[in-house]
Amino acid sequence: MSTILLALGLVMIIEGLAYALAPSLIERMLEMLRSLPETAVRQMGLLIAVSGLILVWAAWQLGGV
């Protein structure tokens, strides 16, 4: 459970820093996402989720989790 809280906290830190340091960049990225077809956004989300899963698996194998 503590690992999940750690991961969630790290995601929140990174997301918060992105919004705090580059809000205009976030706004432009959201506009760009709105112009993409829904299937492309869905595929991008799936790719990011699988990449995250691979990183978690790699950390687990290295003994970091």
Side-chain angles (χ1 to χ4, degrees), residues 2-47:
S2 64
T3 304
I4 293 172
L5 290 176
L6 175 65
L8 185 59
L10 289 172
V11 168
M12 291 173 73
I13 290 170
I14 292 169
E15 287 285 327
L17 283 174
Y19 281 103
L21 299 175
S24 61
L25 177 63
I26 298 293
E27 208 171 297
R28 286 194 307 246
M29 286 175 56
L30 288 173
E31 288 173 12
M32 194 172 69
L33 278 173
R34 278 189 216 111
S35 69
L36 291 175
E38 188 176 315
T39 54
V41 176
R42 209 177 289 268
Q43 288 173 347
M44 197 167 25
L46 184 60
L47 177 64

Side-chain angles (χ1 to χ4, degrees), residues 53-65:
L53 183 62
I54 290 169
L55 287 175
V56 168
W57 176 81
W60 186 276
Q61 293 300 312
L62 293 172
V65 178

